Structure formats: C-alpha cells, structure tokens
Amino acid sequence: MNTGKSVLLIIGGGVAAYKALLLIRLLKTAGVGVRAVLTAGGAQFVTPLSVGALSGEKVFTDLFDLTDEAEMGHIQLSRAADLVVVAPATADLMAKMAAGLADDLATTLLLATDKDVLIAPAMNVRMWDHAATQANLATLRARGVTVVGPDEGDMACGEYGPGRLAEPEAIFAAIEAALAPRLSDLAGKRIVVTSGPTHEPIDPVRYIANRSSGKQGQAVASALAARGAEVVLVSGPVRLVAPAGVETRKIETAREMLDATLAALPADAVVCAAAVADYRVDGAAEHKLKKADGAGRSLTLVENPDILATVSALPEGQRPRLVVGFAAETQEVIAYAQAKRTRKGCDWIVANDVSQGVFGGDENAVTLIDAKGAEDWPRMGKDAVAEKLAGRIAAALA
C-alpha cells in the first residue's frame, strides 16, 4: 500500500476513458490521493462530476481558468503529485508528449512536471502500429516514461489487435510499483548487457541477420540501471533509442560484440540477451556480388565466436560472479535451454519461445533456468520481465 502518496491522473479521450473511473476507485481504496485532469476529448466520455465524485477532489479542465490558477497554478499542479499518470494515453497525447507541445492543460502539465510519468496507451490498432506512434513510443521510453499495455483484443471500432487500454488492475499494479521506494540494491555493481542482432556481411550491401528487435535487452539494461547498477550495453543494430542512464556501445558483427563485451570487463555480472548470428560468411566480398546468369551461388559459412561460452569460461578472478544467457527456441524450449546452460557453462538461462511473436513484440513469456531447475514466468511486458530479472540478479549479487 502507498498510503499518503498522490497521483495526478490525466484522462485522455477515447471510449476506454470509463476505465479511468475504475482506476480512481482502486487508488482511493489503497489510500492513494488522486487529482484528475480531464482533457476535452476525455470529457466526451466521462464527466467532471463522475471523476470528482470518485476522487473526492476538484477536477481540472482548463489551462486558462482564472479561479483554478488562483487556487493552484498549473506549474504547482504538475509537481504536487508523486506520479503523473496518463490513462488513456491517446495517439495524439503521445505525439504531443514526444514533441514537447503544450497547447492545453494536460500537455502543459506533462511538459512542466518534474515527476515520473506513467502512460497507458489506448487507440485503434492501425494507429498503434503506425510508424509515427511507434517512434513516439520509443522516444518516451528513452526519456524514462513507464508504459503499461496496451492489451490485444476486440475494439469498439470493430477491429481486433493491440491497442486496448490495459485493465485498471494492471495499471494500478504499475502505479503501485512506481510509487514504491526506489531500490538501490545494485549500487556499486557493474553489469554488462548484450542486446539486439548482429549483422554479418556477405558483401557491402547484404548481410546475414535475424529478427531480434533488441527490446528485451534494452529493457534489462534499463531495469538494472534503475536499481543503481553501472550498466554497459553492447548493442547490435536496432531501431531503438538508446536507454537513458546506460553507457551504450554500438557494434555490427559478432566478433565486434565479443571484443566490446570483453573490453567492458571486469564486471559483477554479464547478461547475454543478444541474438548473435551463429555463422558468418568466410571472406565477405569487397564489392557487391552480381547475380550469375542461370547459375546459383554458394556461400561458405564459418562459426562465429561464442560470446556466452567465452565469458563463462574466463578464469577465476576474471569471470563475472554471475553470467546469464538467453535461449531463443521454437520447440522443446526447456530441454534445449537446459542443455545450452550446461554446454555454455553459464549460471542462468532465460528461455523463451520465439515462435509466439516475441521477436519485435512488446511481451515475452520466459522460463528462468538455473542449477536448481526451471521456473516458468507468466506472459508479461518485456519491461516487467526485465524488472523481475533485475530483482533476481540483485538478490544473487547481494
């Protein structure tokens, strides 16, 4: 419980705005104070009267309301709460947040606040999938905004897919976590995280790669840094903004990733979340290969260095206390991952079934495997997976 804490809740426009009323009830029951800002769009779906009745506080709607400014100016309102929550966060609100616009009370508060911000997106699936929305999402995440949802399912518009507002209970749980005292259980620890794919050149314009987005690795790096760790992220080519508070070293190939990882040592732990290409072309061409008329072409592949096994096999005094690998499998996930842990010599393996839309997605379902056995984790957002893994790492290094 976070009795005595307070939240500034910004209610955006959308059919899902009614869920904000349920969220207010959950927060009040938990002893969390709620002041609400209702946007013009939000007021089309819920009323100031209903929001005020549940919150027990005045509802704010107008940037230029002289009475409101006299009682509590918008700058003070933006900083008086312990957390700012936007639910639902529409595509328009997210775009304005990313661009730093301030053309109404809600966006002015978001730009003026010095407190943490949590958003729960809700919109049509095509709007959610649009490149502009995804770019705005990446920008907000990189600035430290916590994102809850969206869920996947039927929508009021008749379409199906990701874009439904997360359930009030899920948003409430994320708020509870955000209001909890900041952990510093990894302060003084140095951790190296590898993330993303590698690109192994065939010639100057072609390469061998895989579908890894780097989202899970970056989430792990951010979660570790949030607990006070000094984090070095060795990242392959990804379309993500580098996480805040983390030293990022960008590479292209597996050999470059190995060199960068070893150069980042010594460290207390290494988390190998990257999807490293197993093979590279033996002697990449200096110039673009041309298609031979009517003939096929053969490429000779050689094995890339095994980063996880190399770090695990370092001699005592050089080997990190904890080495964690990831296993991306499409069948017999647990069996293959357990064999991989033994073969590589690492301490833990985080196994996931990538046949279930994990690559490029925002959710993951993993199994943590160590010397004691296997522990299944429920499907959750990649940020939540990262936070749970960071907690386990903190406990192991304590």
Side-chain angles (χ1 to χ4, degrees):
M1 303 289 270
N2 286 290
T3 302
K5 297 288 188 177
S6 64
V7 164
L8 177 64
L9 175 62
I10 296 174
I11 304 173
V15 175
Y18 77 90
K19 291 184 179 180
L21 302 178
L22 304 175
L23 177 61
I24 292 172
R25 184 182 293 278
L26 290 172
L27 289 168
K28 295 294 290 183
T29 301
V32 178
V34 182
R35 279 199 177 99
V37 172
L38 193 57
T39 67
Q44 299 299 311
F45 298 94
V46 295
T47 68
L49 181 60
S50 59
V51 175
L54 287 170
S55 67
E57 297 277 355
K58 178 180 176 61
V59 178
F60 298 86
T61 59
D62 189 354
L63 178 61
F64 300 108
D65 188 305
L66 295 179
T67 302
D68 288 349
E69 284 298 298
E71 293 176 353
M72 175 178 280
H74 63 266
I75 297 299
Q76 184 182 355
L77 183 61
S78 73
R79 300 175 184 176
D82 297 293
L83 178 71
V84 179
V85 177
V86 186
T90 62
D92 180 65
L93 265 174
M94 289 175 60
K96 289 177 177 178
M97 290 175 66
L101 298 181
D103 61 357
D104 63 4
L105 179 58
T107 52
T108 300
L109 294 172
L110 286 163
L111 193 60
T113 190
D114 60 355
K115 299 301 172 60
D116 289 341
V117 177
L118 180 150
I119 67 172
M123 65 200 70
N124 170 269
V125 59
R126 297 185 187 278
M127 296 172 71
W128 174 254
D129 286 338
H130 197 284
T133 302
Q134 291 303 307
N136 292 333
L137 177 68
T139 297
L140 296 175
R141 286 185 187 275
R143 292 177 186 163
V145 173
T146 300
V147 182
V148 184
D151 290 346
E152 183 174 308
D154 293 316
M155 300 184 175
C157 59
E159 295 193 270
Y160 181 94
R164 285 170 55 94
L165 182 68
E167 291 303 315
E169 292 79 7
I171 303 173
F172 171 74
I175 292 172
E176 283 279 277
L179 291 175
R182 293 289 184 185
L183 296 173
S184 57
D185 47 6
L186 284 173
K189 300 294 191 294
R190 179 179 173 88
I191 302 177
V192 180
V193 179
T194 69
S195 179
T198 61
H199 288 180
E200 310 299 331
I202 297 172
D203 60 25
V205 299
R206 303 179 181 93
Y207 55 83
I208 298 172
N210 56 60
R211 301 179 188 276
S212 173
S213 66
K215 290 180 180 179
Q216 186 65 83
Q218 286 210 5
V220 170
S222 294
L224 293 168
R227 287 175 173 262
E230 175 191 358
V231 180
V232 178
L233 174 66
V234 181
S235 175
V238 296
R239 296 180 179 180
L240 300 172
V241 179
V246 170
E247 179 187 345
T248 301
R249 302 181 184 182
K250 297 183 179 180
I251 57 85
E252 292 281 333
T253 69
R255 287 176 289 181
E256 291 172 351
M257 181 171 279
L258 175 62
D259 290 343
T261 300
L262 294 177
L265 299 179
D268 296 281
V270 171
V271 181
C272 293
V276 183
D278 293 326
Y279 297 94
R280 68 180 185 274
V281 175
D282 186 14
E286 295 184 5
H287 301 286
K288 180 182 176 182
L289 296 174
K290 298 296 184 180
K291 182 165 65 174
D293 292 337
R297 182 181 297 279
S298 297
L299 297 175
T300 301
L301 302 180
V302 295
E303 281 195 54
N304 267 324
D306 191 319
I307 299 170
L308 178 59
T310 299
V311 173
S312 298
L314 289 172
E316 186 175 354
Q318 298 180 34
R319 186 190 190 276
R321 288 171 54 194
L322 180 66
V323 180
V324 182
F326 273 64
E329 304 290 351
T330 59
Q331 59 179 339
E332 299 183 47
V333 175
I334 306 303
Y336 283 150
Q338 287 174 328
K340 180 175 181 177
R341 193 190 78 84
T342 301
R343 187 172 67 254
K344 305 283 188 176
C346 60
D347 302 297
W348 299 350
I349 284 285
V350 181
N352 57 341
D353 185 349
V354 296
S355 69
Q356 304 300 315
V358 167
F359 272 155
D362 294 316
E363 293 188 338
N364 209 347
V366 307
T367 301
L368 180 64
I369 296 171
D370 60 16
K372 298 179 181 178
E375 178 186 337
D376 290 326
W377 292 359
R379 189 175 183 89
M380 63 183 89
K382 288 183 176 179
D383 287 343
V385 171
E387 289 169 7
K388 190 166 184 176
L389 181 61
R392 293 300 180 85
I393 291 172
L397 297 179

